[in-house]
Amino acid sequence: MLDYETLKIVWWLLVGVLLIGFAVMDGHDMGVGTLLPFVGRDDTERRVVINTVGPHWDGNQVWFITGGGAIFAAWPLVYATAFSGFYWAMLAVLWALFFRPVGFDYRSKIADPRWRSTWDWGLFVGGAVPPLIFGVAFGNLLQGVPFHFDANLVPYYTGSFWALLNPFALLCGVVSSAMITFHGGIYLMHRTEGDIQARARLAVLGAGTVVLVGFTAAGVWLWADVPGYAIGSAIDPAGPANPLAKTVVRAPGAWLANYGRHTWMLLAPVLGYAGVLLGMLLAWRGRTLTAFVASSFGIAGIIATPGVSMFPFVMPSSTHPGSSLTAWDSVSSHLTLGIMFWATLIFMPLVVVYTSWAYRVMAGKVTAAYVREHSHSAY
């Protein structure tokens, strides 16, 4: 079995991979849902849009469930603290997600314009709200979350739901929402043609521009006005999980210190910019599959940027910095991490192979003619 310190690093990486996988795979479904009321001008066009993601959206939810399960199993203190502090925000995500299975399954069962329009907007909510809230959550993590632990490591959250909606966090939410819309627009271009594809192209260019401007603005804001965190005492990476066994200091620009110590980490923001710019260019030229790959790398870079900036911090505390949770002291036991590591090595490749096969089988354009010919079986 790998040593404890190595497993802590491995699971920091694996949680990041799962979050990126969720954003790439379920993200394009959500992006399509966000664009649904705008790129589809009549019922047939909207059914075309829905059928681009209808057959596989629920399979992509596996990334969301697996990501949550991995955080619960690998970082139990993070899971417990985050769901205490972000309780109402997480409920809002779940309430929004409820619209998706019902909307996909029942939207086209009744040929009533009001019924179908209602579910179209329900699918919009299910696609637009989760990325916005996840971005807001990342913005709050970068600023620090108001919580602390008592001597028994019981977490106490001292903030409120409305305090989460601060300007910097909302900017991060806009970046996240635009990023997912951009990704979904490229996928929609790849699976459709004609007027729908043309409208999706315009959405891609608009959302991509918002991503680039917002990502830059967030970086400048973070550098100029958001103090970061740094460990101010010795810490044993291979030691037992105890977040109170360290001291933490806050300092301006601390979130940028990792880039000076490890210049290879600059690859994350560079990849974010390059992926989005290349995705916009390729989408404009009609090379949609390559644009989707570029967009996926852009998403990976944008999500990895706060991850490497904060490392080893996972959930900093703004009210009691010493309670901040890091990759070293918020983890499960050595045995638990080891068992999960080998289980992941077995099952993650199976998920990737099955997903690749499913997309290969369902490849091709979705057209209005297809929807009319399969009016009872299509979504």
Side-chain angles (χ1 to χ4, degrees):
M1 182 180 291
L2 298 175
D3 63 81
Y4 201 15
E5 180 180 354
T6 301
L7 282 171
K8 290 177 182 181
I9 291 289
V10 166
W11 273 102
W12 179 81
L13 291 170
L14 285 176
V15 170
V17 168
L18 290 171
L19 292 177
I20 291 170
F22 165 61
V24 170
M25 298 306 299
D26 208 20
H28 73 262
D29 295 345
M30 292 182 179
V32 169
T34 303
L35 292 172
L36 171 63
F38 309 106
V39 298
R41 299 296 171 82
D42 57 36
D43 182 64
T44 300
E45 288 187 346
R46 291 186 177 183
R47 289 192 72 184
V48 169
V49 172
I50 291 171
N51 275 272
T52 62
V53 296
H56 55 69
W57 74 270
D58 47 355
N60 291 334
Q61 288 285 111
V62 169
W63 290 93
F64 177 60
I65 297 169
T66 305
I71 293 173
F72 171 77
W75 294 342
L77 288 176
V78 174
Y79 185 91
T81 307
F83 274 75
S84 296
F86 299 156
Y87 181 76
W88 288 108
M90 292 298 102
L91 279 183
V93 169
L94 293 176
W95 290 334
L97 291 175
F98 289 159
F99 285 106
R100 302 184 75 202
V102 184
F104 280 117
D105 287 342
Y106 292 104
R107 184 263 182 201
S108 298
K109 300 294 186 186
I110 300 176
D112 183 296
R114 291 172 298 179
W115 170 269
R116 293 187 173 185
S117 178
T118 298
W119 285 115
D120 289 341
W121 286 103
L123 290 171
F124 166 79
V125 171
V129 170
L132 178 66
I133 292 179
F134 291 142
V136 168
F138 265 94
N140 279 280
L141 289 177
L142 286 165
Q143 296 174 98
V145 181
F147 73 92
H148 66 274
F149 291 101
D150 65 13
N152 296 316
L153 294 184
V154 176
Y156 292 89
Y157 180 75
T158 55
S160 67
F161 170 78
W162 299 110
L164 298 175
L165 305 179
N166 57 79
F168 178 77
L170 289 173
L171 173 60
C172 294
V174 169
V175 173
S176 174
S177 181
M179 176 182 73
I180 295 304
T181 303
F182 171 74
H183 194 53
I186 292 177
Y187 182 78
L188 200 55
M189 285 183 63
H190 183 63
R191 296 296 308 279
T192 61
E193 56 188 18
D195 291 339
I196 298 175
Q197 187 184 66
R199 296 181 197 122
R201 178 186 283 109
L202 293 176
V204 165
L205 297 177
T209 301
V210 173
V211 173
L212 294 173
V213 173
F215 190 48
T216 302
V220 173
W221 195 336
L222 191 70
W223 168 74
D225 197 45
V226 179
Y229 291 72
I231 296 176
S233 62
I235 187 170
D236 181 10
N242 181 8
L244 299 180
K246 66 179 183 303
T247 60
V248 175
V249 296
R250 300 188 69 184
W255 284 150
L256 304 179
N258 278 343
Y259 298 107
R261 289 191 292 263
H262 310 286
T263 54
W264 61 267
M265 289 184 174
L266 289 169
L267 290 173
V270 169
L271 185 62
Y273 280 111
V276 175
L277 284 169
L278 187 59
M280 293 173 67
L281 177 62
L282 292 169
W284 180 255
R285 293 185 174 182
R287 298 174 62 181
T288 53
L289 181 58
T290 315
F292 185 82
V293 174
S295 174
S296 300
F297 278 108
I299 287 175
I302 291 172
I303 293 177
T305 296
V308 299
S309 299
M310 293 173 59
F311 184 83
F313 289 92
V314 176
M315 190 172 184
S317 170
S318 59
T319 52
H320 189 270
S323 293
S324 298
L325 296 172
T326 73
W328 308 127
D329 55 27
S330 60
V331 298
S332 294
S333 68
H334 189 183
L335 178 62
T336 300
L337 295 184
I339 292 173
M340 292 198 310
F341 171 72
W342 292 111
T344 302
L345 284 185
I346 295 171
F347 290 108
M348 183 174 283
L350 294 177
V351 171
V352 172
V353 170
Y354 171 76
T355 301
S356 301
W357 174 83
Y359 272 84
R360 182 179 179 85
V361 169
M362 294 181 285
K365 299 286 187 181
V366 179
T367 64
Y370 170 84
V371 171
R372 294 190 189 100
E373 291 171 6
H374 301 82
S375 58
H376 296 292
S377 59
Y379 287 88

